[in-house]
Structure formats: C-alpha cells, structure tokens
Amino acid sequence: PWPSQRDVRSWLQLLSVLQWVLSFLLLGTVSLLVLIYLVFTSLWPISALYLAWIIFDWDTPERGGRRLPCLRRWTVWKHFRDYFPVKLVKTHDLSPSHNYIIGSHPHGILCVGAFCNFITGSTGFGDLFPGIRPFLATLAGNFRLPIFREYLMSGGLCPVTRRAIGYLLSQNGTGNAVAIVVGGAAESLSCSPGVTTLILRQRKGFVRLALQHGAHLVPSFSFGENDLFRQVVFEEGSWMRSIQQRFQKMMGFAPCVFYGRGLTSGSSRGFLPYARPITTVVGEPVTVPKVENPSSETVDRYHEMYVRSLLKLFEDNKTKYGLSEKDQLQIL
C-alpha cells in the first residue's frame, strides 16, 4: 500500500534530524580525512587549493562570518522543527537600535533549541523580533575544520571568542543578537531528563563583554532540552568523570556517553534525539550601559541582575511547559 501523508511527513522529519546530527558529528572530521587522502592521489590540487583558501579566509569567522539567508530558509528546517516540535516564545520586544547577548540555557547534549531558534529561522525569529539578526556562538575549533566551517558560517554561527563576539557587537551596526550557550561543555556532563541545574554562577565573561560593548543581556530558557537524550552520568570523583573533565579542559568539549532513539522506531536505541517538545522562551532584556573597563564589582552587579531575570523567566513559565510547581532552577 502507498504510504499515507502522515507517514511521509514522519519520514521527512526523521531524515531532517538525521542529516543534522550527521553533519554536526561527522562533517568536519570526514571532510578533513577526505582532503588528507586526496593529498596522496592525483587529485592533490583540490586539497592544495582548499588549504590556500582556508589560509586566505582564516579570519572571516571572527569578522562576521558569511551568512546565506537561503540556507536559513531551507524547507528541511521546517521538518526538523516539527519532529520535536520546537517553539519560540517572545515575552518582550527587542529594539533594532541596540545589540544583544542572549544567554541560552540549558546546554543539553546538542543544543537543539538554540540551533533551531537562532540559526534556522524555522520558528519565526525574524517575525517575532523584526530587525534583529541572530547569531549563535560555538566552539572556535569547529571553524578550523574544512567544509564544516563553511556550513557553520552560512547559517550565522560564529566562534565563541571575544574577538568574534566583539566584532558583531561593535563593528556590525545595531540589531545584532549573539546567543551564547553559557553553561558550555561542563553543563552537558550533567544533563538528563528532569534536571534543571545550570553552570552559571562563575560564568561572567559574557557579562563583561556586554558591558564593554553596551549590549543588553537577554535570558532565554529551552524547556525540554534535557529530555532529548539519555546520558550515563558519572558521579563526581569517579575516574570516568575525571577523564571527561580533563578532556573538556584540553579540547573545549566533553565526551558524553549518551543514547537516543534509532532509525527504525522510537523504542529502539541509537544516536537520534527523542521526539520531545522544546519551547524556548526569550525573556526581558537587562539594560546594560557601555563601560570600556568594567570593574569586578560592576560585572558582579549585572551578572546578579541577569541571574534574577533568568530565575523569574523560569518561574513564570515552568508550569506552562512541562515542569511542576515544585521544580526549582539550581544555579551552580
């Protein structure tokens, strides 16, 4: 029998998530291996030319990147959105006359909510926040991998470095919103369904950047992000946890032991995320003045203001999007 429209939609959604996961996990490594292999064949000029291009284009990721609006409008991202589904909720307007740093919480395993909302445009960011150009900061090492760097820049991703973020906040006009997953790799080690713990108390670099460039701070929380995978969480002090933490310090990301669903059915095990709803709520901006050399006391004051705004955002929305009244947001 012919497949129904519902079956076709389900397959397209599954394939869209599959291509994203494979791109995220394998594109950079596979491209690097292919270029190395070509060096030892008659096609070596391809590798030589691409190496010359990377050298010539080395600083582009830290100078605004190379966005391709057509990539953000790919139909595949709508199927990606509908698989979970992912929803973006606005609570306050963002004025195009300012720049912003959006704190994205929690990290989860693969930052699905942050990617879908701030990079693909499939959830209507441009309609909800007219005049605002979203960017998403990720590991700088990803922009050293061939082909993968082009893929990341085309969507609006940038390195999570002071230089790259500073360029977008000071030399790219106004109306820029750089989303930073503040908890980073350290937070991913503890993510699991039902966990509402953030690594934020000592993460103050993004606040200092906001002060130096006069960018307003905007909290956002993706409810459901930690429900997409099951992770083997090793206890603090165990030898496996120690290996993860050392690897994180050396490489910038943590080797998590996780699993999701497989290709054949939702009950099978594999590396694809489970279809769980994600709702990203963007909160009220914290107005930040421009201070070229902010003192530690100033940074601490605005960091505390940001934390209070994030806690309020969580408390006001937790029961609407899958959590109970008893759930509390723990900030470490």
Side-chain angles (χ1 to χ4, degrees), residues 31 35 44-61 65-68 143-154:
S31 299
L35 288 175
W44 64 266
I46 296 177
S47 297
L49 287 172
Y50 190 78
L51 177 60
W53 164 251
I54 286 184
I55 294 173
F56 174 78
D57 197 52
W58 190 260
D59 289 334
T60 299
R66 195 165 37 246
R67 295 166 67 98
L68 292 178
F143 294 88
R144 306 311 179 207
L145 294 172
I147 309 300
F148 192 43
R149 70 191 294 273
E150 322 297 342
Y151 177 74
L152 294 178
M153 283 192 290
S154 64

Side-chain angles (χ1 to χ4, degrees), residues 21-309:
V21 171
L22 291 179
S23 298
F24 186 87
L25 297 178
L26 299 177
L27 180 59
T29 302
V30 171
S31 299
L32 178 61
L33 293 176
V34 169
L35 288 175
I36 293 175
Y37 169 76
L38 293 179
V39 169
F40 302 98
T41 70
S42 59
L43 299 176
W44 64 266
I46 296 177
S47 297
L49 287 172
Y50 190 78
L51 177 60
W53 164 251
I54 286 184
I55 294 173
F56 174 78
D57 197 52
W58 190 260
D59 289 334
T60 299
E62 295 191 328
R63 295 180 61 83
R66 195 165 37 246
R67 295 166 67 98
L68 292 178
C70 60
L71 182 66
R72 292 171 56 86
R73 294 193 298 265
W74 271 3
T75 303
V76 69
W77 300 131
K78 295 181 180 179
H79 297 303
F80 180 87
R81 172 201 64 197
D82 294 339
Y83 170 83
F84 298 96
V86 182
K87 181 182 179 182
L88 181 64
V89 176
K90 180 181 79 170
T91 61
H92 293 77
D93 291 331
L94 299 182
S95 171
S97 61
H98 298 290
N99 286 324
Y100 303 89
I101 290 181
I102 301 177
S104 179
H105 311 274
H107 183 285
I109 296 291
L110 296 180
C111 303
V112 172
F115 179 87
C116 189
N117 287 298
F118 303 128
I119 295 301
T120 71
S122 62
T123 55
F125 185 95
D127 296 327
L128 291 173
F129 302 102
I132 303 296
R133 293 181 297 274
F135 297 84
L136 178 61
T138 186
L139 290 174
N142 289 330
F143 294 88
R144 306 311 179 207
L145 294 172
I147 309 300
F148 192 43
R149 70 191 294 273
E150 322 297 342
Y151 177 74
L152 294 178
M153 283 192 290
S154 64
L157 285 100
C158 69
V160 61
T161 62
R162 291 182 180 275
R163 182 184 176 191
I165 297 172
Y167 181 92
L168 294 172
L169 297 178
S170 63
Q171 301 183 48
N172 199 43
T174 59
N176 301 294
V178 183
I180 302 176
V181 187
V182 181
E187 194 172 274
S188 67
L189 291 176
S190 301
C191 85
S192 58
V195 173
T196 51
T197 301
L198 303 182
I199 305 298
L200 177 59
R201 191 63 64 186
Q202 301 303 319
R203 301 292 176 98
K204 301 179 181 180
F206 73 105
V207 178
R208 184 175 296 276
L209 268 174
L211 284 162
Q212 290 172 341
H213 298 284
H216 298 343
L217 289 167
V218 183
S220 71
F221 195 93
S222 293
F223 294 91
E225 181 72 44
N226 285 346
D227 298 334
L228 304 183
F229 294 95
R230 301 293 183 268
Q231 180 179 189
V232 180
V233 179
F234 301 101
E235 295 182 1
E236 289 289 344
S238 65
W239 65 275
M240 279 298 296
R241 186 70 166 207
S242 177
I243 291 175
Q244 287 178 314
Q245 292 171 338
R246 289 180 182 177
F247 192 92
Q248 172 205 331
K249 291 180 180 179
M250 291 188 298
M251 302 300 294
F253 65 94
C256 302
V257 181
F258 67 89
Y259 66 90
R261 61 156 291 176
L263 276 171
T264 56
S265 70
S267 59
S268 62
R269 289 192 178 185
F271 56 89
L272 296 179
Y274 291 108
R276 302 287 187 269
I278 303 173
T279 303
T280 300
V281 184
V282 180
E284 181 178 5
V286 176
T287 302
V288 176
K290 185 174 182 178
V291 183
E292 292 187 3
N293 296 298
S295 64
S296 298
E297 291 77 13
T298 301
V299 172
D300 289 343
R301 181 167 70 253
Y302 281 94
H303 182 271
E304 187 59 34
M305 291 170 62
Y306 175 83
V307 171
R308 287 200 302 268
S309 182

Side-chain angles (χ1 to χ4, degrees), residues 7-23 76-77 79-80 83 261-263 271-272:
D7 291 334
V8 172
R9 284 197 301 268
S10 296
W11 295 341
L12 289 174
Q13 292 168 10
L14 191 63
L15 289 174
S16 68
V17 174
L18 175 63
Q19 67 81 25
W20 179 77
V21 171
L22 291 179
S23 298
V76 69
W77 300 131
H79 297 303
F80 180 87
Y83 170 83
R261 61 156 291 176
L263 276 171
F271 56 89
L272 296 179

